[in-house]
Amino acid sequence: MKVLLIRGNPRKDGFTQRLTDRFAAGVREAGASLTDVDLTSAAIQPCLGCFHCWLVQSGQCVHTDAMNDLLPCVLDADVLVCATPVYFFSMSSYLKAFFERLFPLSAEGVEESGLGFLRNRLREPDRWRNKKFISIVVGALPGTKPYEPVNQTFRLIADTLNMELGGQLTRPESHLLPYKFSKPKTLKLVDAAFFKAGREAGNTGRLAGKTMEEAGLPLAASESHFRMYSNIYWEHARALGAHSTNLNALHERVGADPDILMREMARTCNPQATARLRAVLQFDFPDQDRHYRLTVNHGRCELQPVTTEQPDLRVTCATDVWVALFTRQLNVIDALRQRKIVLAGDKNLFTKLDRYFPPPAA
Ligand SMILES: Cc1cc2nc3c(=O)[nH]c(=O)nc-3n(C[C@H](O)[C@H](O)[C@H](O)COP(=O)(O)O)c2cc1C
């Protein structure tokens, strides 16, 4: 299977790049041949709409740029995969220019398409038969509605080029992808789904419904959760300023933010396990000079970023220690034995934290 992957994302350390890299790894694992093209360094001119390729020199564009080499690759490919961030409900202009410049592969005259529309005749119809098309779109907004226009455009493009729609991967809430505390299992599923999709593309050119569903699984628990986390993401990005283009640095900052960790703790408070509990828990992270009070009151939990003089339990540790504990990468007994955590007050309460604040299940 020959897979041609066309990337239309300008940010080389962004979410589209990362997820598409996973997809590409899956294609390679399937043993398919992969041609991986970055459009954004190819300086492809937009179409001039002059119809030179139809009327003056059949199949020849007036521009001479990277598309000269790309057109034969498109004709050769068994599977065409296009990856793009969502910009204004559509694909990036790099990818748009690529599609415009496929025009020399079509010719004057119309015929009926598979979906029942009229489409331009294809210059070499045999080269398009049995070709599959897969789209990968990555956007910031939650839900599925904001992605309908771009996905519909891709459906129509596949139809107008007589390609079978092999599948569509839609990844909303891109900026929530670094939030490892909120839905660790879902994040793993999303990552695995992009890899699996690559394998499926490399094997058959068709994506399984389950794979597409997993790639798009929601990350935010609700709209307000989405807004809050989206804002926290941008606060960190702003603090990094010009360095925010380094997504690894941004991930680290977001991933180590005790604000997020404590919010997640408050959110995961188990109402049944805490139904009879009234307690004030104080968490101090001296390395970041952050202090949080968790007030548990008969199944409800309130978080405040303040210090408390006499809490029922005070937990003092470095932020990364609490991160490791919350994500169950560090054992509580070991942490206590190694004096990574200092407790004061009702230590019995501490032993029950696991039950009161179970790790996120999804
Ligand atoms: C010019 C521009 C327009 C955007 N328009 C949308 C949009 O319509 N819908 C959406 O969900 N996200 C939109 N976004 C957000 C991006 O899709 C989001 O940041 C995505 O993660 C970008 O991909 P990247 O991380 O690979 O750069 C827009 C971003 C930019 C820069």
Side-chain angles (χ1 to χ4, degrees), residues 29-256:
E29 210 216 41
S33 118
L34 174 70
T35 306
D36 195 336
V37 178
D38 169 26
L39 288 181
T40 68
S41 57
I44 291 166
Q45 298 296 310
C47 176
L48 295 178
C50 61
F51 289 95
H52 180 94
C53 59
W54 280 17
L55 308 175
V56 183
Q57 270 182 299
S58 293
Q60 276 295 315
C61 183
V62 287
H63 289 306
T64 44
D65 57 22
M67 274 318 272
N68 295 38
D69 294 332
L70 271 179
L71 290 183
C73 293
V74 172
L75 287 175
D76 267 357
D78 299 307
V79 188
L80 173 62
V81 184
C82 290
T84 179
V86 180
Y87 288 167
F88 287 97
F89 303 95
S90 187
M91 66 188 89
S92 73
S93 49
Y94 300 95
L95 190 55
K96 180 68 170 26
F98 165 81
F99 281 118
E100 290 172 11
R101 295 287 303 286
L102 294 185
F103 212 57
L105 301 178
S106 65
E108 61 281 14
V110 286
E111 61 183 24
E112 191 169 329
S113 78
L115 293 180
F117 296 103
L118 286 181
R119 68 177 170 214
N120 294 322
R121 206 164 53 75
L122 288 166
R123 201 169 287 286
E124 298 182 68
D126 290 345
R127 313 277 309 263
W128 294 92
R129 261 190 263 287
N130 302 321
K131 217 188 273 303
K132 316 277 192 308
F133 178 76
I134 292 170
S135 59
I136 300 176
V137 304
V138 180
L141 296 175
T144 52
K145 269 217 163 309
Y147 300 90
E148 282 171 8
V150 64
N151 281 333
Q152 171 70 347
T153 302
F154 283 133
R155 269 195 292 279
L156 292 173
I157 287 175
D159 181 54
T160 211
L161 294 171
N162 201 24
M163 294 185 282
E164 176 187 331
L165 188 67
Q168 299 197 285
L169 293 170
T170 309
R171 180 59 253 165
E173 300 172 297
S174 58
H175 302 145
L176 266 50
L177 288 166
Y179 287 97
K180 59 183 176 193
F181 308 130
S182 49
K183 284 202 179 176
K185 287 186 184 158
T186 309
L187 282 174
K188 279 199 185 124
L189 271 180
V190 169
D191 189 70
F194 274 83
F195 182 76
K196 213 174 356 157
R199 250 188 355 219
E200 290 166 356
N203 282 326
T204 62
R206 296 189 183 102
L207 309 187
K210 186 161 179 276
T211 307
M212 291 189 273
E213 189 191 316
E214 286 175 354
L217 281 172
L219 292 171
S222 63
E223 198 183 304
S224 64
H225 191 247
F226 170 80
R227 281 173 193 238
M228 181 174 73
Y229 277 19
S230 193
N231 288 340
I232 295 174
Y233 173 91
W234 288 113
E235 272 166 33
H236 283 293
R238 237 191 342 256
L240 278 175
H243 299 296
S244 66
T245 48
N246 179 347
L247 208 61
N248 281 334
L250 191 53
H251 273 219
E252 259 171 47
R253 261 188 88 106
V254 173

Side-chain angles (χ1 to χ4, degrees), residues 315-333:
V315 179
T316 309
C317 64
T319 321
D320 61 344
V321 170
W322 198 247
V323 169
L325 277 172
F326 188 73
T327 53
R328 292 357 183 219
Q329 285 159 7
L330 179 64
N331 179 291
V332 177
I333 311 278

Side-chain angles (χ1 to χ4, degrees), residues 243-270:
H243 299 296
S244 66
T245 48
N246 179 347
L247 208 61
N248 281 334
L250 191 53
H251 273 219
E252 259 171 47
R253 261 188 88 106
V254 173
D257 185 335
D259 243 28
I260 300 168
L261 182 58
M262 295 313 292
R263 280 173 210 258
E264 282 306 305
M265 238 184 114
R267 198 172 67 84
T268 58
C269 175
N270 182 331

